[in-house]
Amino acid sequence: MEESNQTFIEFANEWLKINKDSKDVKPGTIRVRVHEIGKWLPYLSRLKLKNITRKRYQDALIDLKDQGYSDSTMSGINRTGRMIFRKALEMELIKKDPTEFAYLKKDKKTIEQLKEEEIPKYLEKEELALFLETAMDYGLEHDYLMFLILSYTGIRVGELVSLKWKDVDFVNHTISITKTYYNPNNNTLEYLLVTPKTKKSRRKIIVDEEIINALKEHKEVQDQIIKQLGDGYYNKDFIFAKMERQHGYPIVIKTVQNRMARLLSLAELNTNLTPHSLRHTHTSLLAEAGVALEQIMDRLGHSDDQITKDVYLHVTQEMKKEASHKFGQLMRSLR
């Protein structure tokens, strides 16, 4: 068997095309893979596949980790690298798989790193796009709208399930948060609507047009059901109302948790995440977009919250590290 002279970038593009043509691979997954391949390009791009040694692959992993990427991000980068080289091995383009004995570097735990481990897990933007696409394609009743609102607003899950149509201003594109849902026994009929835990939690959030349009579509479907069921529908104006059995009652929080676990599994994302993780995801993406901490706290309904501050600080520090790394790469390329 004669090894191929293909470069890493050439074969990576070929591998992506194979994946794109597969009916089993969702477009969102492809976007994540493209993002992860991008992390490999500074190290392997122009090298021939056959010349990429285990040491070179491992050194690249170590350098990427030293840039401060999280364990979950590194796991994704390594997984994509392994899939590419295993496909090359399967196609007999190379004789040895350079990823075979690769390991992901674990730093010694400093006080700062232990503190970082306390930062809640959240989805990176590519992962969020994949999650929402999975909800759109494979979600059950309410799923896409629920998770779109949670991730685009950062509201709490109790605030979500207690939302009523009167809370939505379709003209000014706002949602008012005035209450939360209390139901410790998860009994659909025994819910309570209570005031938010702090004054700051009562707030009006400006939302994206995509949410407004999705709400309009949902309302049309719901109105048809109310019309069909008449008095058989418990009509208390809930947006996320049950459409089967106990029609009209708000869905329980446990349902949202179960639905999220199902979609995370389908999307092959971290199944330890919860609906509250989408609140941290919203925080991280606002920080990445350059929104000030005070504005984020106001949007989330926080007067003071250390976890939100920790997530914000973590993301902005990562951005600074990346800026420094890019500058270093630029200068090295001039030598």
Side-chain angles (χ1 to χ4, degrees), residues 170-185:
F170 286 102
V171 176
N172 296 307
H173 290 195
T174 63
I175 293 177
S176 294
I177 306 300
T178 60
K179 58 199 168 303
T180 191
Y181 177 92
Y182 181 72
N183 190 347
N185 298 319

Side-chain angles (χ1 to χ4, degrees), residues 38-215:
K39 302 299 182 190
W40 285 113
L41 297 186
Y43 307 94
L44 308 178
S45 181
R46 301 295 170 195
L47 295 177
K48 291 179 182 177
L49 288 173
K50 65 182 182 182
N51 293 337
I52 297 171
T53 60
R54 286 171 182 161
K55 184 178 186 307
R56 190 179 283 271
Y57 184 87
Q58 184 64 59
D59 286 348
L61 276 180
I62 291 170
D63 193 63
L64 281 163
K65 181 61 183 169
D66 287 345
Q67 290 175 42
Y69 289 112
S70 68
D71 285 349
S72 61
T73 300
M74 286 303 303
S75 179
I77 292 169
N78 186 40
R79 184 167 56 245
T80 293
R82 283 190 159 173
M83 285 193 285
I84 289 169
F85 282 103
R86 282 175 184 173
K87 177 56 76 173
L89 192 66
E90 179 192 319
M91 294 172 71
E92 298 188 338
L93 302 177
I94 52 176
K95 290 177 182 174
K96 284 183 180 177
D97 175 6
T99 74
E100 190 177 358
F101 298 106
Y103 64 90
L104 293 173
K105 180 185 171 189
K106 301 280 183 183
D107 296 330
K108 287 180 182 176
K109 300 289 190 287
T110 62
I111 291 171
E112 186 182 333
Q113 286 161 340
L114 287 169
K115 175 74 175 168
E116 192 169 298
E117 283 183 358
E118 294 171 14
I119 295 168
K121 296 288 181 275
Y122 52 82
L123 294 167
E124 304 288 348
K125 56 180 176 289
E126 295 83 12
E127 294 173 327
L128 177 60
L130 172 58
F131 175 72
L132 289 176
E133 188 170 300
T134 305
M136 171 75 86
D137 293 344
Y138 301 100
L140 304 174
E141 175 187 278
H142 299 314
D143 279 5
Y144 178 69
L145 181 59
M146 281 192 314
F147 295 119
L148 181 72
I149 290 176
L150 284 173
S151 55
Y152 274 43
T153 65
I155 65 173
R156 300 173 179 91
V157 67
E159 294 168 341
L160 176 90
V161 299
S162 66
L163 282 177
K164 296 191 174 191
W165 288 111
K166 67 179 181 183
D167 300 320
V168 180
D169 183 336
F170 286 102
V171 176
N172 296 307
H173 290 195
T174 63
I175 293 177
S176 294
I177 306 300
T178 60
K179 58 199 168 303
T180 191
Y181 177 92
Y182 181 72
N183 190 347
N185 298 319
N186 290 310
N187 184 323
T188 301
L189 307 180
E190 295 179 1
Y191 72 91
L192 288 174
L193 297 182
V194 297
T195 53
K197 58 182 183 180
T198 66
K199 279 185 181 179
K200 194 80 173 172
S201 294
R202 294 176 67 92
R203 62 204 187 278
K204 190 176 283 187
I205 301 172
I206 298 171
V207 296
D208 191 79
E209 189 174 358
E210 188 177 348
I211 288 178
I212 294 296
N213 292 337
L215 280 166

Side-chain angles (χ1 to χ4, degrees), residues 272-291:
N272 292 321
L273 295 171
T274 67
H276 201 73
S277 305
L278 295 175
R279 191 164 161 83
H280 302 314
T281 298
H282 189 66
T283 300
S284 74
L285 295 182
L286 287 177
E288 196 173 324
V291 179

